[in-house]
Coordinates of all heavy atoms in Angstrom, one line a residue:
Chain A
V529 N 12.0 -17.9 -40.0 CA 12.0 -17.9 -41.4 C 13.1 -17.0 -42.0 O 13.5 -17.2 -43.2 CB 10.6 -17.6 -42.0 CG1 9.5 -18.6 -41.5 CG2 10.2 -16.2 -41.7
R530 N 13.5 -16.0 -41.3 CA 14.5 -15.1 -41.7 C 15.9 -15.7 -41.3 O 16.5 -15.2 -40.4 CB 14.3 -13.7 -41.1 CG 13.2 -13.0 -41.7 CD 13.5 -12.3 -43.1 NE 14.5 -11.3 -42.7 CZ 14.1 -10.1 -42.3 NH1 12.9 -9.7 -42.2 NH2 15.1 -9.2 -42.0
V531 N 16.3 -16.8 -42.1 CA 17.5 -17.4 -41.7 C 18.7 -16.8 -42.3 O 19.8 -17.1 -41.9 CB 17.4 -18.9 -42.1 CG1 16.3 -19.6 -41.3 CG2 17.1 -19.0 -43.6
E532 N 18.5 -15.9 -43.3 CA 19.7 -15.2 -43.9 C 19.7 -13.8 -43.2 O 18.7 -13.0 -43.4 CB 19.4 -15.1 -45.4 CG 20.6 -14.5 -46.2 CD 20.2 -14.2 -47.6 OE1 19.2 -14.8 -48.1 OE2 20.9 -13.4 -48.3
K534 N 20.0 -10.1 -42.4 CA 20.1 -8.8 -43.2 C 20.1 -7.7 -42.1 O 19.2 -7.6 -41.3 CB 18.8 -8.6 -43.9 CG 18.5 -9.7 -45.0 CD 19.1 -9.2 -46.4 CE 18.6 -10.3 -47.4 NZ 19.4 -10.1 -48.7
L538 N 13.8 -5.1 -43.1 CA 12.9 -5.4 -44.3 C 11.5 -5.2 -44.0 O 10.7 -4.9 -44.9 CB 13.1 -6.9 -44.6 CG 14.5 -7.3 -45.0 CD1 14.5 -8.8 -45.5 CD2 15.1 -6.4 -46.1
Y544 N 8.0 -8.0 -48.5 CA 9.2 -8.2 -49.3 C 9.2 -9.7 -49.7 O 8.5 -10.5 -49.2 CB 10.4 -7.9 -48.4 CG 10.5 -8.7 -47.1 CD1 11.2 -10.0 -47.1 CD2 9.9 -8.3 -46.0 CE1 11.2 -10.8 -46.0 CE2 9.9 -9.1 -44.9 CZ 10.6 -10.3 -44.9 OH 10.6 -11.1 -43.7
V545 N 10.1 -9.9 -50.7 CA 10.2 -11.3 -51.2 C 11.0 -12.1 -50.2 O 12.2 -11.9 -50.0 CB 10.8 -11.4 -52.6 CG1 11.0 -12.8 -53.1 CG2 10.0 -10.5 -53.6
L546 N 10.4 -13.1 -49.6 CA 11.1 -13.9 -48.6 C 11.7 -15.1 -49.3 O 12.8 -15.5 -48.9 CB 10.1 -14.4 -47.5 CG 10.6 -15.4 -46.5 CD1 11.7 -14.7 -45.6 CD2 9.5 -15.9 -45.6
A547 N 11.1 -15.7 -50.3 CA 11.6 -16.8 -51.0 C 11.2 -16.6 -52.5 O 10.0 -16.5 -52.8 CB 11.0 -18.1 -50.4
E548 N 12.1 -16.7 -53.4 CA 11.9 -16.5 -54.8 C 11.5 -17.8 -55.5 O 11.9 -18.9 -55.1 CB 13.1 -15.8 -55.4 CG 12.9 -15.4 -56.9 CD 11.6 -14.5 -57.1 OE1 10.5 -15.1 -57.0 OE2 11.8 -13.3 -57.3
A549 N 10.8 -17.7 -56.6 CA 10.5 -18.8 -57.4 C 11.7 -19.3 -58.1 O 12.6 -18.5 -58.5 CB 9.4 -18.5 -58.5
T550 N 11.9 -20.6 -58.2 CA 13.0 -21.1 -59.1 C 12.3 -21.4 -60.4 O 11.2 -22.0 -60.5 CB 13.6 -22.4 -58.5 OG1 12.6 -23.3 -58.3 CG2 14.3 -22.1 -57.2
G551 N 13.0 -20.9 -61.5 CA 12.3 -21.1 -62.8 C 11.2 -20.2 -62.9 O 11.1 -19.1 -62.3
K552 N 10.3 -20.4 -63.9 CA 9.2 -19.4 -64.2 C 8.3 -19.2 -63.0 O 7.8 -20.1 -62.5 CB 8.4 -20.0 -65.4 CG 7.5 -19.0 -66.0 CD 6.5 -19.5 -67.0 CE 5.4 -18.5 -67.3 NZ 4.1 -19.2 -67.4
R553 N 8.1 -17.9 -62.7 CA 7.2 -17.6 -61.6 C 5.8 -17.6 -62.0 O 5.3 -16.8 -62.7 CB 7.6 -16.2 -61.2 CG 6.9 -15.8 -59.9 CD 7.5 -14.5 -59.3 NE 7.5 -13.4 -60.3 CZ 8.6 -12.7 -60.7 NH1 9.7 -12.8 -60.1 NH2 8.5 -11.8 -61.6
Q554 N 5.1 -18.6 -61.5 CA 3.7 -18.8 -61.9 C 2.7 -18.3 -60.7 O 1.6 -18.1 -60.9 CB 3.4 -20.3 -62.2 CG 4.1 -20.8 -63.4 CD 3.7 -22.2 -63.7 OE1 2.5 -22.5 -63.9 NE2 4.7 -23.2 -63.6
V555 N 3.3 -18.3 -59.5 CA 2.5 -18.1 -58.3 C 3.2 -17.2 -57.4 O 4.4 -17.2 -57.2 CB 2.2 -19.5 -57.6 CG1 1.4 -19.3 -56.4 CG2 1.6 -20.5 -58.6
I556 N 2.4 -16.3 -56.7 CA 2.9 -15.5 -55.6 C 2.0 -15.9 -54.4 O 0.8 -15.6 -54.4 CB 2.9 -14.0 -55.9 CG1 3.7 -13.6 -57.1 CG2 3.4 -13.3 -54.7 CD1 3.7 -12.2 -57.5
L557 N 2.6 -16.4 -53.3 CA 1.9 -16.6 -52.1 C 2.2 -15.4 -51.2 O 3.4 -15.1 -51.0 CB 2.3 -17.9 -51.5 CG 2.1 -19.2 -52.3 CD1 2.6 -20.4 -51.5 CD2 0.6 -19.4 -52.6
I558 N 1.2 -14.8 -50.6 CA 1.4 -13.6 -49.7 C 0.9 -14.1 -48.4 O -0.3 -14.5 -48.3 CB 0.6 -12.4 -50.2 CG1 0.8 -12.2 -51.7 CG2 1.0 -11.2 -49.4 CD1 -0.1 -11.1 -52.3
V564 N 3.1 -17.5 -42.6 CA 4.3 -17.5 -43.5 C 4.9 -18.9 -43.5 O 5.3 -19.4 -44.6 CB 5.3 -16.4 -43.1 CG1 6.6 -16.5 -43.9 CG2 4.7 -15.1 -43.2
A567 N 3.0 -20.8 -46.0 CA 3.3 -20.4 -47.3 C 4.6 -21.1 -47.8 O 4.7 -21.5 -49.0 CB 3.4 -18.9 -47.4
L568 N 5.6 -21.1 -47.0 CA 6.9 -21.7 -47.3 C 6.7 -23.2 -47.6 O 7.3 -23.8 -48.5 CB 7.9 -21.5 -46.3 CG 8.3 -20.0 -46.1 CD1 9.2 -19.8 -44.8 CD2 9.1 -19.6 -47.3
E569 N 5.8 -23.9 -46.8 CA 5.6 -25.3 -47.0 C 4.9 -25.5 -48.3 O 5.2 -26.5 -49.1 CB 4.7 -25.8 -45.9 CG 5.3 -26.4 -44.7 CD 4.2 -26.9 -43.7 OE1 3.3 -27.7 -44.1 OE2 4.2 -26.3 -42.6
A570 N 3.9 -24.7 -48.6 CA 3.2 -24.8 -49.9 C 4.1 -24.5 -51.0 O 4.1 -25.2 -52.0 CB 2.0 -23.8 -49.9
R571 N 5.0 -23.6 -50.9 CA 5.9 -23.3 -52.0 C 6.8 -24.6 -52.2 O 7.0 -24.9 -53.4 CB 6.9 -22.1 -51.5 CG 8.0 -21.9 -52.6 CD 8.9 -20.7 -52.1 NE 10.0 -20.5 -53.0 CZ 11.1 -21.2 -52.9 NH1 11.3 -22.1 -51.9 NH2 12.1 -21.0 -53.7
A572 N 7.3 -25.2 -51.2 CA 8.1 -26.3 -51.3 C 7.4 -27.4 -52.2 O 7.9 -28.0 -53.1 CB 8.5 -26.9 -50.0
Q573 N 6.1 -27.6 -51.8 CA 5.3 -28.6 -52.5 C 5.1 -28.2 -54.0 O 5.2 -29.0 -54.9 CB 4.0 -28.8 -51.9 CG 4.1 -29.5 -50.5 CD 2.8 -29.7 -49.8 OE1 1.7 -29.8 -50.4 NE2 2.8 -29.7 -48.5
L574 N 4.8 -26.9 -54.2 CA 4.6 -26.5 -55.6 C 5.8 -26.5 -56.4 O 5.8 -27.0 -57.6 CB 4.0 -25.1 -55.6 CG 2.6 -25.0 -55.1 CD1 2.2 -23.5 -54.7 CD2 1.5 -25.5 -56.1
E575 N 7.0 -26.0 -55.8 CA 8.2 -26.1 -56.6 C 8.6 -27.6 -56.9 O 9.1 -27.8 -58.0 CB 9.3 -25.5 -55.7 CG 9.1 -24.0 -55.5 CD 9.8 -23.1 -56.6 OE1 10.6 -23.7 -57.4 OE2 9.6 -21.9 -56.6
A576 N 8.3 -28.5 -56.0 CA 8.6 -29.9 -56.3 C 7.8 -30.4 -57.5 O 8.3 -31.3 -58.2 CB 8.3 -30.7 -55.0
G578 N 7.3 -28.4 -60.0 CA 7.7 -27.5 -61.1 C 6.9 -26.3 -61.2 O 7.0 -25.6 -62.3
I579 N 6.2 -26.0 -60.2 CA 5.4 -24.7 -60.3 C 6.2 -23.6 -59.6 O 6.3 -23.6 -58.3 CB 4.0 -24.9 -59.7 CG1 3.3 -26.0 -60.4 CG2 3.2 -23.6 -59.7 CD1 2.0 -26.4 -59.8
G580 N 6.8 -22.7 -60.3 CA 7.6 -21.6 -59.7 C 6.8 -20.8 -58.8 O 5.8 -20.2 -59.2
T581 N 7.2 -20.6 -57.6 CA 6.3 -20.0 -56.6 C 7.2 -19.0 -55.7 O 8.2 -19.4 -55.1 CB 5.7 -21.0 -55.6 OG1 5.0 -22.0 -56.4 CG2 4.8 -20.4 -54.5
R582 N 6.8 -17.8 -55.7 CA 7.4 -16.8 -54.8 C 6.6 -16.7 -53.5 O 5.4 -16.7 -53.5 CB 7.4 -15.4 -55.6 CG 7.7 -14.2 -54.7 CD 7.5 -12.9 -55.4 NE 8.7 -12.7 -56.2 CZ 9.0 -11.5 -56.8 NH1 8.2 -10.4 -56.6 NH2 10.1 -11.4 -57.5
V583 N 7.3 -16.5 -52.4 CA 6.6 -16.2 -51.2 C 6.9 -14.8 -50.7 O 8.1 -14.4 -50.6 CB 7.0 -17.2 -50.0 CG1 6.5 -16.7 -48.7 CG2 6.5 -18.6 -50.3
V584 N 5.8 -14.0 -50.5 CA 6.0 -12.6 -50.0 C 5.5 -12.6 -48.6 O 4.4 -13.0 -48.3 CB 5.2 -11.6 -50.8 CG1 5.1 -10.3 -50.2 CG2 5.8 -11.5 -52.2
S585 N 6.5 -12.2 -47.7 CA 6.0 -12.0 -46.3 C 5.5 -10.5 -46.2 O 6.2 -9.6 -46.7 CB 7.2 -12.2 -45.3 OG 6.7 -12.0 -44.0
Y599 N 8.3 -0.2 -56.2 CA 8.6 -1.3 -55.3 C 7.5 -2.2 -55.1 O 7.7 -3.5 -55.2 CB 9.1 -0.7 -53.9 CG 9.4 -1.8 -52.9 CD1 10.5 -2.5 -53.0 CD2 8.4 -2.1 -52.0 CE1 10.8 -3.6 -52.1 CE2 8.7 -3.2 -51.0 CZ 9.8 -3.9 -51.2 OH 10.2 -4.9 -50.3
R600 N 6.3 -1.7 -55.1 CA 5.1 -2.6 -54.9 C 5.0 -3.5 -56.1 O 4.7 -4.7 -56.0 CB 3.9 -1.7 -54.7 CG 3.8 -1.1 -53.3 CD 2.5 -0.4 -53.1 NE 2.6 1.0 -53.5 CZ 1.7 1.7 -54.2 NH1 0.6 1.1 -54.6 NH2 1.9 3.0 -54.6
R601 N 5.2 -2.9 -57.3 CA 5.2 -3.8 -58.6 C 6.3 -4.9 -58.5 O 6.1 -5.9 -59.1 CB 5.2 -2.9 -59.8 CG 4.0 -2.1 -60.0 CD 3.7 -1.7 -61.4 NE 2.4 -1.1 -61.6 CZ 1.3 -1.8 -61.7 NH1 1.3 -3.1 -61.8 NH2 0.2 -1.2 -61.8
K602 N 7.3 -4.4 -58.0 CA 8.5 -5.5 -57.9 C 8.1 -6.6 -57.0 O 8.4 -7.8 -57.4 CB 9.8 -4.8 -57.4 CG 11.1 -5.2 -58.1 CD 12.2 -4.3 -57.8 CE 12.7 -4.6 -56.4 NZ 13.8 -3.7 -55.9
V603 N 7.5 -6.3 -55.9 CA 7.2 -7.4 -55.1 C 6.0 -8.1 -55.5 O 5.9 -9.4 -55.4 CB 6.9 -6.8 -53.6 CG1 6.3 -7.9 -52.6 CG2 8.1 -6.1 -53.1
L604 N 5.0 -7.4 -56.1 CA 3.8 -8.1 -56.6 C 3.6 -7.8 -58.1 O 2.7 -7.0 -58.5 CB 2.5 -7.6 -55.8 CG 2.5 -7.9 -54.3 CD1 1.3 -7.2 -53.6 CD2 2.5 -9.4 -54.1
P605 N 4.3 -8.3 -59.0 CA 4.2 -8.1 -60.4 C 2.9 -8.6 -60.9 O 2.4 -9.7 -60.4 CB 5.4 -8.8 -61.0 CG 5.8 -9.8 -60.0 CD 5.4 -9.3 -58.7
P608 N 1.3 -13.5 -62.3 CA 1.2 -14.8 -61.5 C -0.1 -14.8 -60.7 O -0.6 -13.8 -60.3 CB 2.5 -14.8 -60.7 CG 3.4 -13.8 -61.3 CD 2.6 -12.8 -62.0
V609 N -0.6 -16.0 -60.6 CA -1.6 -16.2 -59.7 C -1.2 -15.8 -58.3 O -0.1 -16.0 -57.9 CB -2.0 -17.7 -59.7 CG1 -2.8 -18.1 -58.4 CG2 -2.9 -18.0 -60.9

Side-chain angles (χ1 to χ4, degrees):
Chain A
V529 298
R530 287 279 292 281
V531 293
E532 188 188 341
K534 300 264 186 199
L538 301 186
Y544 60 90
V545 178
L546 176 67
E548 187 49 288
T550 54
K552 188 187 168 221
R553 186 169 54 228
Q554 298 182 60
V555 178
I556 303 176
L557 301 178
I558 314 170
V564 172
L568 290 171
E569 267 178 59
R571 174 180 175 275
Q573 293 176 29
L574 289 164
E575 293 270 348
I579 303 170
T581 302
R582 165 184 285 192
V583 170
V584 170
S585 180
Y599 178 75
R600 284 184 274 136
R601 288 206 171 276
K602 218 170 75 184
V603 176
L604 296 178
V609 155

